[in-house]
């Protein structure tokens, strides 16, 4: 009996890995090439900026001993190294947000539109495995890949900046490496990825549910209808407030529908919750604050809010409905 259960688990895991690979190869352009192309463009702009900056420095004689650190506070070049690494990771994550949003929105609709769902339903893989493999990419694998690519982008820009300073004879360029905190930055970003997966569940679940349900135009049902609905409710509430003098709760409606239902695929939106400690991020007023004030782990206080867990429950329920819809939806 145990051997049979172990064999079933092995087969489930093996099929699930194959489905994950299928999702990657079918969406390699978004998951892999989009952040890389963005990184190449960013590095090209950075190179142009550094060449231009070098020309300005040489014309202004701002090199050598004219730019020395006074020894107080964090070394500016070390801080700049951290900031450049963050820029690279941020660019890749920004691309990931758009990729994940439209991937989840088309994940179950596109396979019905091109009739490939008939082929996949003929194979010995369940609807649960198929839908969960798509959700795994949207919530876990795509963010991890984006962070890894973002680290490479940040390191390339970081090294380019250090080389530019060295070639211009500016003292202390080695501080880019000796006074920066790359492991601190990368560790904090990786540490909030599980939080991102939980926080983004309602948005990903809603987009996949609309993708499984809509016969045509899933963007209309998933995005435009909720936005127009909120606008109409707010307008009606404004008229009601003007007549009755009673405040209408516009904010909670937009928060639940738009921010939690659609925009929670954006990392860091958990700081919109008043219960989450955003003070150490908000008070970061200068680049020199990065090493001492950059504390993404403060976002984990969202785990103690009902907001996150209600969203998780709603996301799981909507993914469950998407599984049922994929099974019974008429492809004709």
């Amino acid at each position: 009996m145990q051997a049979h259960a172990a064999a079933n688990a092995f087969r489930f895991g093996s099929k699930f890995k194959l489905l994950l690979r299928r999702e990657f190869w079918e969406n390699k352009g978004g998951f892999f090439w989009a952040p890389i192309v963005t990184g190449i463009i960013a590095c090209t702009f950075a190179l142009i900026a550094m060449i231009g900056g070098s020309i300005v420095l040489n014309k202004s004689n701002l090199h050598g001993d004219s730019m020395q650190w006074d020894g107080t506070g964090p070394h500016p070049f070390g801080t700049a190294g951290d900031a450049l690494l963050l820029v690279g990771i941020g660019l890749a994550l920004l691309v990931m947000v758009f990729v994940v949003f439209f991937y989840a929105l088309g994940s179950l609709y596109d396979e019905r539109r091109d009739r490939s769902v008939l082929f996949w339903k003929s194979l010995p893989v369940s609807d649960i495995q198929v839908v969960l493999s798509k959700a795994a990419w949207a919530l876990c694998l795509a963010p991890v890949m984006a962070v890894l690519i973002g680290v490479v982008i940040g390191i390339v820009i970081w090294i380019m900046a250090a080389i530019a300073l060295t070639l211009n004879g500016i003292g202390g360029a080695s501080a880019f490496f000796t006074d920066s905190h790359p492991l601190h930055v990368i560790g904090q970003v990786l540490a909030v990825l599980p939080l991102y997966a939980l926080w983004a569940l309602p948005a990903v679940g809603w987009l996949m549910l609309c993708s499984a349900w809509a016969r045509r135009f899933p963007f209309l049902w998933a995005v435009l209808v909720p936005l127009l609905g909120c606008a109409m409710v707010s307008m009606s509430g404004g008229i009601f407030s003007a007549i009755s003098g009673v405040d209408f709760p516009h904010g909670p409606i937009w928060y639940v529908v738009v921010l939690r239902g659609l925009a929670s695929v954006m990392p860091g939106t958990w700081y919109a919750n008043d219960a989450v400690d955003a003070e150490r991020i908000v008070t970061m007023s200068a680049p020199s604050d990065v090493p001492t004030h950059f504390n993404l782990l403060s976002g984990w206080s969202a785990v103690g809010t009902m907001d996150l867990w209600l969203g998780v429950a709603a996301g799981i329920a909507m993914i469950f409905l998407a599984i049922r819809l994929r099974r019974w939806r008429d492809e004709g």
Side-chain angles (χ1 to χ4, degrees):
M1 189 69 176
Q2 290 180 346
H4 182 68
N8 284 337
F10 176 77
R11 284 196 291 270
F12 183 92
S14 179
K15 292 175 183 177
F16 194 71
K17 288 180 181 176
L18 290 175
L19 289 171
L20 291 177
R21 291 180 183 176
R22 168 212 172 188
E23 293 302 317
F24 175 71
W25 288 112
E26 288 189 351
N27 300 278
K28 190 176 180 181
F31 292 140
F32 184 73
W33 287 113
I36 285 184
V37 171
T38 303
I40 292 173
I41 294 172
C43 291
T44 303
F45 275 103
L47 179 62
I48 294 171
M50 289 168 192
I51 293 173
S54 299
I55 295 172
V56 172
L57 285 173
N58 285 319
K59 286 185 176 179
S60 305
N61 291 323
L62 291 175
H63 51 78
D65 295 335
S66 58
M67 297 179 66
Q68 292 295 326
W69 176 47
D70 60 5
T72 59
H75 198 292
F77 290 161
T79 302
D82 292 338
L84 291 176
L85 188 56
L86 275 174
V87 168
I89 297 173
L91 283 173
L93 287 177
L94 181 62
V95 174
M96 181 273 297
V97 168
F98 289 98
V99 170
V100 164
F101 188 93
F102 288 102
Y103 166 74
L105 187 59
S107 58
L108 299 172
Y109 171 77
D110 290 344
E111 64 177 12
R112 292 204 322 276
R113 185 182 58 177
D114 61 17
R115 303 298 182 91
S116 63
V117 66
L118 297 174
F119 169 75
W120 289 104
K121 282 189 175 181
S122 68
L123 299 179
V125 291
S126 66
D127 297 291
I128 295 175
Q129 291 170 318
V130 172
V131 175
L132 289 186
S133 68
K134 295 175 183 293
W137 265 104
L139 294 168
C140 303
L141 298 180
V144 170
M145 184 170 287
V147 169
L148 296 179
I149 295 174
V151 168
V152 175
I153 297 170
I155 290 175
V156 171
I157 299 175
W158 184 21
I159 293 174
M160 289 169 61
I163 292 174
L165 291 177
T166 302
L167 292 179
N168 283 286
I170 296 176
S174 60
F176 257 90
F177 304 103
T178 59
D179 286 59
S180 58
H181 313 79
L183 296 180
H184 172 78
V185 173
I186 297 170
Q188 292 226 13
V189 174
L190 290 175
V192 296
L193 288 181
L195 173 63
Y196 171 79
L198 294 173
W199 186 259
L201 249 175
V204 171
W206 168 250
L207 294 171
M208 293 186 72
L209 177 60
C210 290
S211 185
W213 173 78
R215 294 188 183 279
R216 300 183 67 183
F217 311 123
F219 185 83
L220 170 69
W221 298 106
V223 180
L224 294 184
V225 168
L227 288 178
L228 292 174
C230 284
M232 292 182 67
V233 170
S234 285
M235 290 176 64
S236 302
I239 296 172
F240 171 77
S241 297
I243 295 174
S244 64
V246 178
D247 289 336
F248 187 80
H250 301 272
I253 294 174
W254 284 89
Y255 179 85
V256 172
V257 176
V258 178
L259 193 142
R260 295 295 281 121
L262 294 173
S264 59
V265 291
M266 176 77 75
T269 47
W270 45 80
Y271 285 110
N273 188 308
D274 294 336
V276 180
D277 179 18
E279 183 179 356
R280 299 184 71 179
I281 298 295
V282 174
T283 55
M284 190 173 68
S285 58
S288 60
D289 293 338
V290 172
T292 54
H293 289 253
F294 181 66
N295 181 21
L296 287 179
L297 297 182
S298 62
W300 271 99
S301 58
V303 174
T305 65
M306 286 297 293
D307 185 2
L308 182 138
W309 296 111
L310 288 174
V312 168
I316 292 173
M318 287 187 282
I319 289 175
F320 174 77
L321 290 174
I323 293 171
R324 303 293 296 178
L325 281 171
R326 185 181 186 273
R327 178 175 299 175
W328 303 112
R329 202 61 167 159
D330 180 13
E331 288 79 29

